Structures are given as C-alpha cells and as structure tokens.
Amino acid sequence: FTTGSLFLALHVLTSVSLSLDSFIVAKTVGLTDTASYSVAYRVALFIGIISTMLSTPLWAASGEALERGDIKWVKSRTRKMMGLSMWGAIIATVVLLLVSNPVLSWLGKDLFISAPVLLGMCLTQILMATVSPAFMVLNASRRIAVQIVMFTVYAIISLSLKYILGRHFGTIAISWCGALSYLLIIVPSVIIAYNKTLTSAEKFSQ
C-alpha cells in the first residue's frame, strides 16, 4: 500500500510538472497562442510515447536481475537502452520538425507550429527518453521517494520560471525553461540516484 501510494503521488507530481504548459501560456501569453502551443505539445508527446514503449519492459527485467544480483546485466542493458532511446528521440525530433507544419497544412488546420518552440519541447522529450531506462531501474528498486523529491524541486523551479519568463519572452521561454530545467535538475539527479542504487545493490549481492 505504501509503495502504491508513493507511485500514485509520483505520477500526479510528474503529470503536474510536465503538463501545465498550455495553462501557463493562457495565463501569461494569451489564449490566441494556446491552441498552437497545445498542438505542438501533442506533436512532441509522440516522442515520449515511443521512449515509454522502449523502456517500460526494462522495469520488470531490471527487478529480476537485481534480485539475482546480476548488476552487470542491469548496467549493460540500461546503457544500451539509454543510447537507443536517445537516438530514437533525436530521429523522431528531426522528422517532426520537418513534417509537422506541412501535415497541418495538408489537414487544413489554420495553425502554425514555431520550430524553436517545438524544438524546446522535443529537447525535453529527448532528455526524458535518454534517462527513462535509469528511471526504470529506480522503479524496480522501489526508489520512489527520491524521485518525488527531484520532481518536486523540478516542478517548483520550472513552473515558476515558465510563468515569470513567459510573461516577458512568450511561448519560446516556456518551452525552453522546461527543457533546461529538466537538463539541470532531473538528469543529474536521476543519474546520481541510479549509480547509488547499483552501488548499494552490488554491496548487498557480495
């Protein structure tokens, strides 16, 4: 029950920290830009769907490997999946930047997605895809509390910056604040937590 409650809290926290951009755009920039920003966000979200499909099986596999003390397998497979997810996300980003506006035009949608705004969103998705396998290892180890802490810090800082800078620089600031905050807060935090988890597992298995 405790573990399930922590996972629920983490899910709510990550959803809030990553999904309030359209609301912030409406409050800081205006409703006229909300529609195009929302469409761009949904386009970028395809990258997250791909990375989730690739990394989720690692959760159960890592749990089994950690239980039998096969830390070497966990390290090797996580490193490979991080590379695969990163390059998959990069390729998907290039494709989205090239085809998003032509597809919208072909569909008859009177919307235009700004390439710099979309790139900021896609950078967030690339970073998420890259560290997603490391998160699967933390989940397998039930290291949920540390994830709640890092996403709490991320939510407070990134949402504050998005609101403040969005009022002055528009949607591009909101997009890139999320990406840079993720790069500077979540990425190093999850790597440190991942390394500590494997170090503890190694000591326990000896």
Side-chain angles (χ1 to χ4, degrees):
F1 176 79
T2 302
T3 302
S5 298
L6 289 173
F7 270 115
L8 176 61
L10 178 61
H11 175 72
V12 172
L13 185 59
T14 54
S15 297
V16 169
S17 63
L18 295 170
S19 304
L20 286 182
D21 284 14
S22 294
F23 174 78
I24 295 174
V25 170
K27 291 295 183 180
T28 60
V29 183
L31 292 175
T32 55
D33 291 317
T34 304
S36 59
Y37 192 96
S38 179
V39 170
Y41 178 81
R42 292 177 184 178
V43 168
L45 203 60
F46 281 112
I47 300 175
I49 295 173
I50 295 172
S51 66
T52 299
M53 292 174 60
L54 289 173
S55 61
T56 298
L58 192 61
W59 186 338
S62 295
E64 294 176 1
L66 289 171
E67 285 186 3
R68 65 175 182 265
D70 194 354
I71 312 303
K72 184 178 180 180
W73 183 92
V74 175
K75 288 181 178 180
S76 174
R77 188 51 56 95
T78 302
R79 185 166 52 249
K80 290 179 181 178
M81 287 303 300
M82 289 176 75
L84 178 62
S85 297
M86 181 187 70
W87 283 109
I90 290 173
I91 293 171
T93 294
V94 174
V95 173
L96 290 177
L97 288 171
L98 291 175
V99 307
S100 56
N101 281 317
V103 169
L104 286 175
S105 178
W106 178 70
L107 292 174
K109 302 292 184 181
D110 188 22
L111 293 171
F112 176 79
I113 297 177
S114 167
V117 171
L118 180 59
L119 182 59
M121 295 178 181
C122 289
L123 177 57
T124 301
Q125 296 297 326
I126 291 171
L127 294 171
M128 291 173 62
T130 303
V131 298
S132 181
F135 274 118
M136 295 303 105
V137 176
L138 295 184
N139 290 341
S141 305
R142 298 185 179 181
R143 298 288 303 276
I144 312 304
V146 67
Q147 297 183 59
I148 291 176
V149 172
M150 68 175 74
F151 273 103
T152 299
V153 174
Y154 170 75
I156 293 172
I157 294 177
S158 66
L159 294 177
S160 299
L161 288 175
K162 286 176 182 179
Y163 186 84
I164 294 170
L165 297 180
R167 294 175 64 90
H168 297 283
F169 302 105
T171 55
I172 190 170
I174 297 172
S175 173
W176 280 87
C177 276
L180 295 177
S181 297
Y182 202 95
L183 175 63
L184 297 175
I185 298 171
I186 298 298
V187 172
S189 298
V190 68
I191 295 301
I192 291 171
Y194 165 78
N195 289 331
K196 286 184 176 180
T197 298
L198 293 188
T199 299
S200 298
E202 284 179 331
K203 292 180 180 178
F204 182 79
S205 62
Q206 291 176 352

